Amino acid sequence: MKNTALEIASFRYFVLNRIATTMSTQMLMVIVGWQMYDITHSAFDLGLVGLAQFVPALALCLLVGQVADRYDRRYVLIGCQIAQGGVALLLAAGTWYGWLGRELLLIASLALGATRAFQLPTQQALLPTLVPLTMFPQALAINSAASQFATILGPAVGGFIYVAGAAVVYDVCAVMCVFAIAMLYLIRYDHARPAREPVTLQSLFAGINFIWQREQVLGAISLDLLAVLFGGATALLPIFARDVLHVGSWGLGLLRSAPAIGALLVSLYLARHPIERRVGKIMLYCVALYGLATLVFALSRSFGLSLFALALTGAFDMVSVVVRQSLVQLDTPNEMRGRVSAVNSIFIGASNQLGEFESGLTAGWFGAVPSVLIGGAGTILIVALWTRLFPALRHRERMTTT
């Protein structure tokens, strides 16, 4: 009973930390993107913001996995929150005193990317140690619901607070980081701590080798990588808000929140009704529908229809996230979860941050609308190809192999 109560309490603190962390991150991303476009009016510079956030994750991948597997994951996350809060205060000062420009925004994006490089895999590796593994899919859905709730609230709140000034938004982000740190200090758990094996070349690349040797895991995370890489339109939302749909910062905040609304609804459903059969086929179908919803968003000139299409992308993507994360965490032993999660985070980062760079680059060449159209069509083609290349993923029946 004591251990069960401890697990429940620690999981709640973890979820509260995730809400505060995600709100702070989302608000930072919205305002950094809006300020960059406000200063430069360049789609390419919006893409550079995404690239700057991805490069540290790629460069630090092997180090991140070792840190997450060798040290207390709570304190690694606390360090990440301190760094993110510091970046927020730096941006606030630059805004207040008028020396914030393109270069500082890119430097801040690099710093935020480095912080998230440590944060995401460590969070992923910590969660399975807080709950029994038999309950992990439900816990993952609850955690995802909390994250999506924060993703809905963060951009909307950030967009509205921006009316009072960008510096105010950055100050609020810093306060949220302090709250997130307090929640991490309250987490306690009795599960075995990660083993500190010697650092060797083999241990450094253990996460990559583990994923490469498991077709279902490799197929799931590479599908997510390419689908969001080509199908994502997040980096271009400032352009759609201002030049296509003709709404202001409040509209941008709602557009950024729309995918999370769909994801939240699906994650709440999955928390009560987890996917139990045909998990591989369901994932493939939902990624294809994600691409179709992206096409609808690209063609829409109605703000309401655009919000609905983005909500559908979030709903279908959430199914993919739950399946992928469950396969990765449940098929991986605890002593390797940090390294495997670090590699998984590279795929996530590539699909998000590198995808933002790809969107900005193609938008600079062809325009924002054609860029999103190409991405949506590409996502559907990738699903068709992956269905043939990874038959084991298509035939995966359940989350667990037992």
Side-chain angles (χ1 to χ4, degrees):
M1 181 66 68
K2 180 180 179 181
N3 288 340
T4 301
L6 185 66
E7 289 172 343
I8 293 173
S10 293
F11 178 66
R12 287 175 177 171
Y13 295 137
F14 181 86
V15 170
L16 289 173
N17 165 266
R18 188 66 185 272
I19 291 174
T21 299
T22 304
M23 280 194 67
S24 175
T25 300
Q26 290 296 320
M27 291 170 69
L28 282 170
M29 291 171 63
V30 168
I31 302 307
V32 167
W34 185 264
Q35 282 194 302
M36 178 63 82
Y37 192 61
D38 202 36
I39 292 171
T40 67
H41 299 282
S42 169
F44 180 74
D45 283 338
L46 283 176
L48 283 180
V49 170
L51 181 63
Q53 293 181 25
F54 169 70
V55 168
L58 181 62
L60 297 171
C61 174
L62 298 180
L63 174 62
V64 166
Q66 287 292 323
V67 170
D69 278 342
R70 292 174 64 83
Y71 300 100
D72 191 319
R73 290 161 183 164
R74 294 169 300 173
Y75 294 116
V76 175
L77 292 175
I78 288 172
C80 292
Q81 291 304 309
I82 293 173
Q84 183 167 310
V87 171
L89 292 176
L90 175 65
L91 292 172
T95 302
W96 277 118
Y97 295 105
W99 39 265
L100 181 68
R102 175 179 179 272
E103 290 73 22
L104 181 57
L105 287 172
L106 289 176
I107 292 172
S109 297
L110 281 169
L112 290 172
T115 299
R116 285 173 61 79
F118 285 91
Q119 185 181 82
L120 290 177
T122 306
Q123 285 177 334
Q124 293 169 13
L126 177 61
L127 178 57
T129 66
L130 302 179
V131 296
L133 291 183
T134 55
M135 296 180 59
F136 179 73
Q138 292 95 321
L140 177 61
I142 293 171
N143 183 58
S144 297
S147 178
Q148 295 306 323
F149 170 76
T151 303
I152 295 168
L153 196 60
V157 171
F160 282 110
I161 295 179
Y162 188 81
V163 176
V168 179
V169 182
Y170 293 134
D171 289 335
V172 172
C173 290
V175 172
M176 289 182 178
C177 290
V178 174
F179 176 80
I181 291 172
M183 293 301 99
L184 287 169
Y185 269 115
L186 294 174
I187 292 176
R188 298 290 185 272
Y189 57 102
D190 292 336
H191 297 276
R193 301 301 192 268
R196 294 193 180 185
E197 61 179 287
V199 178
T200 63
L201 195 61
Q202 181 179 359
S203 70
L204 284 173
F205 287 92
I208 297 175
N209 293 332
F210 184 89
I211 291 174
W212 185 259
Q213 293 170 6
R214 285 159 178 79
E215 178 185 328
Q216 296 174 17
V217 175
L218 176 63
I221 64 177
S222 60
L223 174 64
D224 182 81
L225 161 68
L226 294 176
V228 181
L229 174 64
F230 293 109
T234 303
L236 303 181
L237 289 182
I239 298 176
F240 275 86
R242 174 174 293 181
D243 301 334
V244 178
L245 301 172
H246 308 291
V247 293
S249 62
W250 64 271
L252 173 62
L254 292 176
L255 289 173
R256 286 295 297 261
S257 299
I261 293 174
L264 173 62
L265 295 175
V266 169
S267 58
L268 288 173
Y269 177 83
L270 293 177
R272 296 183 61 87
H273 308 281
I275 302 173
E276 296 182 352
R277 299 187 61 185
R278 303 177 66 200
V279 296
K281 290 182 179 178
I282 289 174
M283 179 183 182
L284 290 165
Y285 290 148
C286 286
V287 174
L289 290 171
Y290 169 89
L292 182 61
T294 301
L295 293 177
V296 174
F297 171 75
L299 295 172
S300 171
R301 296 299 177 269
S302 164
F303 184 61
L305 179 59
S306 296
L307 287 175
F308 180 68
L310 288 174
L312 288 179
T313 64
F316 295 129
D317 184 56
M318 176 50 59
V319 177
S320 173
V321 168
V322 170
V323 173
R324 172 174 49 81
Q325 290 281 49
S326 295
L327 294 183
V328 170
Q329 299 300 334
L330 294 177
D331 289 0
T332 305
N334 181 53
E335 63 271 13
M336 286 189 59
R337 283 198 180 109
R339 283 164 288 177
V340 172
S341 295
V343 178
N344 184 38
S345 294
I346 289 296
F347 283 82
I348 297 173
S351 63
N352 293 320
Q353 280 77 48
L354 194 57
E356 290 182 10
F357 176 69
E358 179 272 336
S359 296
L361 189 63
T362 55
W365 289 340
F366 309 116
V369 172
S371 172
V372 178
L373 283 172
I374 293 170
T379 298
I380 297 173
L381 291 175
I382 288 165
V383 172
L385 181 61
W386 252 235
T387 300
R388 291 186 173 275
L389 290 178
F390 295 93
L393 175 62
R394 184 175 75 249
H395 296 301
R396 177 79 179 234
E397 185 68 12
R398 300 181 183 276
M399 296 292 191
T400 59
T401 56
T402 59

